[in-house]
Amino acid sequence: EGCGTGRTVRAPGDSTETHGTGNTREIVLCLEGTLTVIGAGPEPVTLGPGEISFIPPDTKHALRNPSDRPAAYVFVYSRRIEPEKPHEH
């Protein structure tokens, strides 16, 4: 509950729409090719195979394949840890 993973392949020049992480944090691990992460920091970050990017909660971001070869990556997300609320009986 509150976490998940997936594997995606982006065609050359393809990108995701800009989307938010909501209440989750996300890690993107590039497996093959080149992947640019836009919005996770002040400047876009370009990843190569074996490199990762962390995307904090409440962050609008997009992923783009800037190359002429397919880019494969894995994403892992988990819900932000919320402070515990006092339990009343």
Side-chain angles (χ1 to χ4, degrees):
E1 180 181 310
C3 63
T5 186
R7 182 180 188 280
T8 303
V9 176
R10 292 264 159 235
D14 189 24
S15 65
T16 67
E17 291 187 19
T18 299
H19 58 285
T21 52
N23 193 30
T24 63
R25 52 193 161 198
E26 184 175 347
I27 292 174
V28 176
L29 166 63
C30 183
L31 300 173
E32 299 174 26
T34 305
L35 188 68
T36 300
V37 182
I38 303 160
E43 299 292 327
V45 175
T46 299
L47 306 176
E51 295 181 316
I52 65 170
S53 179
F54 172 73
I55 303 166
D58 302 316
T59 302
K60 296 242 185 245
H61 65 285
L63 305 171
R64 183 172 65 88
N65 177 356
S67 75
D68 59 356
R69 295 182 26 202
Y73 62 95
V74 171
F75 59 91
V76 179
Y77 63 89
S78 67
R79 191 171 22 193
R80 176 175 38 198
I81 298 170
E82 299 289 335
E84 288 192 30
K85 295 178 184 172
H87 182 76
E88 297 182 24
H89 290 279

